[in-house]
Amino acid sequence: MDNKIQVPTTEELDVELKEWLESLDYVLDRRTPDQVQTLMRHLQIRAEQAGIDPPFTVTTPYFNTIPRHQQPAFPGNREIERRIKSLVRWNAMAMVTRANRDEDGIGGHISTFASSATLYDVGWNHFFQCANEHHTGDQIFYQGHAAPGMYARAFVEGRLNEDDLKNFRRELADGGGLSSYPHPWLMPDFWQFPTVSMGLGPINSVYQARFNRYLTDRGIKDLSTSRVWAFLGDGEMDEPECPAAIATAGREKLDNLIFVVNCNLQRLDGPVRGNSKIIQEFDGLFRGAGWNVIKVVWGDDWDPLLEKDTEGLLAKRMNEVVDGQYQKYTVSDGAFIRQDFFGTDPNLLKMVEHLSDEQLQKMRRGGHDPEKIYAAYKAAIEHQGAPTVILAKTIKGYGMGEAGEGKNITHQQKKLNEEELSAFRSRFGIPISDEEVTKAPFYRPPQDSIEMKYLHERRQSLGGYTPSRNNQTEPLAAVPTELFEEFKEGSGERLISTTMAFVRILTKLLQDKEIGKLIVPIIPDEARTFGMDSLFRQFGIYSHVGQLYEPVDREMLSYYKEATNGQILEEGITETGSIASFIAAGTAYSTHGINTIPFFIYYSMFGLQRVGDSVWLAGDIRAKGFLIGGTAGRTTLNGEGLQHEDGNSHLLAYPVPNLMAYDPAFAFEIAVIVRDGIRRMYVEQEDIFYYLTVENDPYPMVTMPAGVEAGILKGLYKLKASTQKRAKLKAQLFGMGAILNKTLEAQKILAEKYKVAADVWSITSFKELHNDGLDTDRWNRLHPGEEPRQSYIETSLKDEKGVFVIASDYVKALPESIARWFPKMPISLGTDGFGRSDSREALRDFFEVDARHITLATLNALAAEGQIDIQVVKDAMQDLEIDAEKTNPRLV
Ligand SMILES: Cc1ncc(C[n+]2csc(CCOP(=O)(O)OP(=O)(O)O)c2C)c(N)n1
Ligand SMILES: [Mg+2]
């Protein structure tokens, strides 16, 4: 120990502490909070300079961030609002109970909304702004399985009727029903944001807030007064998208974003963090990420106790009890709470000696106290410079009593029995008689009641009713056609990849006077990979703060230019974040009445495979735009190997019903597809979106043959007929993407060496052909005895002679899926198996999709039909140097 330091006595330390506290009290009385903060920061710096690690933690104490004396006056009528909220609670519970009485196991949730009713109610009465002529409106992400509460509220508002509620989860009933969860696909006038796949609501809401800002900063639409509210579960925050979302929102300082986390301490199976405290964990997480954190832990009956707690005993006790034990208090009586919680210290016991056991048991948590919630929301909307999270402590299954309040089984509780119904009715004062209550009738007060007048007045002052979705938008006038013209010409000898061709199309779209500003390029750190870096300077990379540094490549033509009005969303390495941007941009037509056209360009292997659930959501939410899978194909990407070489994504595109999937081979194919896509999505307003793969294999782009546009869009057209008019042996070769070239090479070999006249066809979409075939079959099945319809493949190939071979750079399941409609069984070549790093040539030999293997497959098929001798095939194998014992690429 430094000998300058004398060991102090306890008394000396006490005096010292007192003096310091008095100094602090002095400034607390006379200075603003900001000034006090500055002072303390200086003290901290001085201590740090002296090598002292300051004892400040990333979490704050376990009580409300806003103390009672800072709470604003509550502007509403508490009593009327309580009655409205109770009615909504009742109808939500009754709807789920009745659905499950009528059909055991139909499901639904009672306990989630029971815990969050106050969180929504305060929003509906005082905050959630709808779009009208004065306001651009808020976007509200409702927690997915709290949906019964939103339906019940809409019923009380008169927006849904009894039949709707009766048909909750019975969408196939006469007249339709209510979807289980928020699905714009199923209820396009009602639900705006799908949220029930946990984790996607949080991340999508963040990127929605960011996109609102992007539109504002680019001067496209001023959304500076719009807020994004996301209502989330505490269990849901375990999904890895959540920390990602939190980091992004903090970094971007999205003060137009408010998270409300319903901390009912429980998830599906049990406690979220039985052994610690989830609110404290979130406190640290969000604060660390730069958020404004507002904790609403305790209701107002705790205020007098906390104000008496000058020694900090209660605060200490609140902080040491873990969530599992708090949950235990929910299901315990007051005597237990007195003994277990307060009984650890005689002074604590003294603090509550004036309260009865019953009063102790009823002491509310913050998330059930409308005034505390109001204070938190008001502070949230006023906060500037950072997003706000409200951590509201609630009770799962609040009001369900014996049926599940705070119990571990509460999430699965789908109905209340007769006794529980009566108890619920009485607890919330619902005007339903004893005789009626067991039927769980829905209840809406008369139109001229105080409750109804109040409710409508509140909503009208906030611009309308929510949730609701705008399903009618002004379409785009027309698609500019000239800009696509140049792509009909081939590139002559010049070698061009489809990626390069796509980038050229995108650039021209961006430059277009009419729709250029609506194009939103989205890239997760791959612009250079796709040769798009030239767009940086031309169109700028979006950054709310512009560019605060001088980029190292400032001297270069295509320097890294960030700008407040930048058009490109360069997202960093996050496909999940990028697709969230895609969804926000692709739904702006509905959310903001703006036809932004997103192009999200990424490594195709990190798309449907990695963010498949978000793509599913994009379908549900009716997002529009283009997903561009770059570097596609198992053999087209030189050297990258197992992780990057994609032979799967087109198969993964099959299940998303409104996703159009194409793998174009030439610039003109891309141009035709993109032009028609914009027309269908933005002029005709079809609720579809596009997946296009592009490749980086350079080859000559051929000139567009006449009259093939319709075929390109339908998925198949004849590219190049054989010139061997008199040959007896015939074959039809089908290729896709970069492998189409191999088919063209095989056409030559077959003609020159084996006298086979082969026609070459381009398949642009297996999925389109497959769907067309399925729809044709279905029609025929349902119309026996009528003239059968023919699929597009059947019509296209009915007069074609010879054998059929299909080759692509994807798994063989794709050609196999369309084989049934061919005049005879085709042979499928494809790239099943893990990728390898090697040259394209070596890979195409390995996976058996090069011209040699296409030739061999054709000869095999001819021999099988007895058109040529088997010896010809054997000789060909020698000529083509194909080893019969080569490894099977599917298995290694
Ligand atoms: C990705 C995903 N995994 C699992 C589920 C199933 N699930 C629905 S609700 C739920 C528990 C939710 O707990 P929490 O987020 O705390 O919400 P609470 O009901 O407690 O408000 C689970 C696991 C889901 N919907 N999505
Ligand atoms: Mg929970």
Side-chain angles (χ1 to χ4, degrees), residues 233-235 262 264-267 272 396:
D234 47 357
N262 175 20
N264 56 24
L265 316 187
Q266 291 179 242
R267 45 184 164 74
V272 178
K396 190 146 177 170

Side-chain angles (χ1 to χ4, degrees), residues 351-533:
M351 213 183 251
V352 291
E353 66 189 0
H354 63 293
L355 297 172
S356 69
D357 286 352
E358 206 192 338
Q359 282 173 313
L360 271 191
Q361 195 196 13
K362 282 196 173 149
M363 302 225 335
R364 267 182 313 173
R365 291 183 179 177
H368 297 295
D369 183 332
E371 298 200 18
K372 304 276 182 214
I373 296 298
Y374 178 83
Y377 287 2
K378 183 161 186 293
I381 63 168
E382 286 167 3
H383 189 79
Q384 291 187 354
T388 293
V389 61
I390 290 156
L391 303 172
K393 186 169 172 170
T394 63
I395 288 172
K396 190 146 177 170
Y398 186 76
M400 287 166 74
E402 282 306 302
E405 187 170 273
K407 293 185 176 170
N408 276 340
I409 49 88
T410 193
H411 192 90
Q412 301 301 91
Q413 193 66 309
K414 307 296 176 201
K415 56 184 170 209
L416 267 55
N417 66 27
E418 298 186 356
E419 252 169 60
E420 291 158 353
L421 281 170
S422 308
F424 195 102
R425 182 268 329 253
S426 304
R427 174 160 180 183
F428 293 110
I430 312 295
I432 296 173
S433 68
D434 285 345
E435 298 81 66
E436 287 290 300
V437 73
T438 56
K439 295 190 213 137
F442 302 128
Y443 182 81
R444 182 195 287 146
Q447 278 309 326
D448 57 357
S449 61
I450 298 173
E451 290 90 339
M452 293 299 269
K453 283 190 184 144
Y454 186 91
L455 175 150
H456 289 301
E457 181 278 316
R458 290 280 74 227
R459 284 316 316 161
Q460 269 143 32
S461 76
L462 289 160
Y465 298 84
T466 161
S468 83
R469 179 179 176 277
N470 168 26
N471 202 28
Q472 300 270 300
T473 327
E474 194 65 29
L476 204 65
V479 189
T481 47
E482 325 74 65
L483 70 87
F484 295 99
E485 285 303 304
E486 74 170 74
F487 301 98
K488 292 184 179 164
E489 298 303 318
S491 66
E493 295 292 291
R494 261 193 332 134
L495 308 184
I496 290 184
S497 69
T498 45
T499 306
M500 289 159 76
F502 162 74
V503 173
R504 175 84 192 122
I505 292 174
L506 181 66
T507 310
K508 289 196 78 178
L509 280 167
L510 282 159
Q511 287 165 339
D512 185 79
K513 281 202 185 64
E514 296 300 318
I515 63 169
K517 67 176 191 308
L518 296 174
I519 307 292
V520 182
I522 304 167
I523 316 156
D525 201 34
E526 295 290 354
R528 292 183 201 280
T529 311
F530 302 126
M532 295 171 63
D533 36 335

